[in-house]
Amino acid sequence: DTSSPVEPLLFGAMISAVNPVATLSVMDIIMGAESPGEKCDPLLYSLVFGESVLNDAVAIGLFHTFNKFHDTTSDGGLILEAMASFIVTSFGSVATGTGIGLACSYFCKHTSIRDHPHLELAILFLFSYGAYAF
């Protein structure tokens, strides 16, 4: 359907996350590094890597938002509804991540889990990946 802008927006949201990954790969090739970030300036590599993580999160949020409106008929309120959905998804994700991070910090600080390093590492990973359940 060429009259709907949703398909190009979906494609743009999906393909936008590739750019920083390609930049990091090209930086490694140009520098002749055998491992990622080996010969590159650490600050530059960290900045580009951090931007790629943020870019991936925004791309996922945009794709999720545009995908909701893929099969709907367009009307004037669709743009406002899409913006509201993106904002709710973005702030909800930040709130979920912050809440789970604080819960993990509280749990690790106020228990004797540090006496068991293997369990501490397992709990850390469970909390980290548990955020994706929401």
Side-chain angles (χ1 to χ4, degrees):
D1 183 21
T2 59
S3 64
S4 173
V6 177
E7 286 185 23
L9 290 172
L10 278 169
F11 180 74
M14 183 175 56
I15 201 71
S16 69
V18 175
N19 187 19
V21 174
T23 302
L24 289 171
S25 297
V26 168
M27 283 172 36
D28 286 339
I29 290 170
I30 289 174
M31 299 291 181
E34 293 180 18
S35 63
E38 179 184 33
K39 295 184 180 178
C40 187
D41 179 32
L43 178 62
L44 177 63
Y45 193 85
S46 296
L47 288 173
V48 173
F49 184 77
E51 191 271 338
S52 80
V53 170
L54 180 66
N55 193 16
D56 289 350
V58 171
I60 290 168
L62 281 174
F63 185 84
H64 178 69
T65 300
F66 293 145
N67 198 30
K68 284 183 185 177
F69 302 106
H70 185 262
D71 294 328
T72 61
T73 58
S74 67
D75 59 353
L78 184 65
I79 293 173
L80 292 175
E81 190 177 345
M83 288 173 56
S85 175
F86 179 73
I87 290 170
V88 166
T89 301
S90 298
F91 285 115
S93 298
V94 169
T96 301
T98 302
I100 290 177
L102 289 172
C104 181
S105 297
Y106 184 83
F107 179 79
C108 290
K109 184 175 182 176
H110 296 291
T111 61
S112 61
I113 194 76
R114 68 180 67 100
D115 297 336
H116 308 283
H118 290 92
L119 290 177
E120 185 179 24
L121 185 63
I123 292 294
L124 179 68
F125 278 110
L126 286 174
F127 270 103
S128 299
Y129 287 110
Y132 291 103
F134 297 102

